[in-house]
């Protein structure tokens, strides 16, 4: 199975940076498009960024464009989310999702979800 495990969350001051990692144990991870979502307290889960199975196509929510970068290393079965210029409104639990297919489609159900990692940005 493709069971994502996230790491890299923590507490950071506004303007700082973090790198989240999502590791899976599935050798065929390269067949899955992946994405990062987040859920803040009292809010619905929202799409943050997605990447195609080969890494050539990326998409971002408008709120993170220019600040966050998604990337993947299929040899390591790992997807990353590089977060720069963090804002207090970025505070949320961040989840990794895997979707079988070449390109991630945000409004289509994902096949696998991780347990999430907390990101807290202080002002």
């Amino acid at each position: 199975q493709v069971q994502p495990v996230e790491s890299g969350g923590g507490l950071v001051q506004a303007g700082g940076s973090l790198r989240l990692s999502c590791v899976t144990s599935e050798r065929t991870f390269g067949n899955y498009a992946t994405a990062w979502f987040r859920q803040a307290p009292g809010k619905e889960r929202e799409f943050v960024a997605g990447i195609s199975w080969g890494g050539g196509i990326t998409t971002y929510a408008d709120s993170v464009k220019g600040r966050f970068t998604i990337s993947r290393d299929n040899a390591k079965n790992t997807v990353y989310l590089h977060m720069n210029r963090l804002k207090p409104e970025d505070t949320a639990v961040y989840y990794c999702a895997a979707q079988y297919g070449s390109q991630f489609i945000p409004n289509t159900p994902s096949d696998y979800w991780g347990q999430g990692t907390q990101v807290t940005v202080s002002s």
Side-chain angles (χ1 to χ4, degrees):
Q1 282 191 343
V2 180
Q3 183 55 55
V5 177
E6 304 94 336
S7 64
L11 174 63
V12 63
Q13 288 188 334
S17 300
L18 281 175
R19 187 185 76 166
L20 305 184
S21 299
C22 171
V23 181
T24 77
S25 58
E26 175 56 57
R27 292 182 179 179
T28 59
F29 179 63
N31 294 329
Y32 289 79
T34 56
W36 288 93
F37 288 75
R38 67 186 181 187
Q39 186 167 19
K43 295 186 177 181
E44 293 187 353
R45 186 166 56 192
E46 64 175 355
F47 172 81
V48 175
I51 189 166
S52 60
W53 61 14
I57 300 173
T58 57
T59 55
Y60 296 93
D62 287 343
S63 59
V64 305
K65 279 182 182 177
R67 301 188 299 122
F68 291 10
T69 302
I70 188 170
S71 63
R72 66 188 293 160
D73 184 342
N74 285 350
K76 297 181 179 179
N77 293 334
T78 303
V79 178
Y80 303 98
L81 185 67
H82 305 259
M83 306 186 294
N84 298 316
R85 291 184 281 137
L86 283 161
K87 304 176 182 180
E89 51 262 44
D90 294 318
T91 295
V93 177
Y94 283 71
Y95 298 91
C96 179
Q99 190 179 87
Y100 187 79
S102 60
Q103 189 169 343
F104 197 92
I105 304 173
N107 295 326
T108 299
S110 293
D111 298 290
Y112 299 99
W113 289 90
Q115 295 300 308
T117 185
Q118 176 71 47
V119 172
T120 303
V121 184
S122 63
S123 58

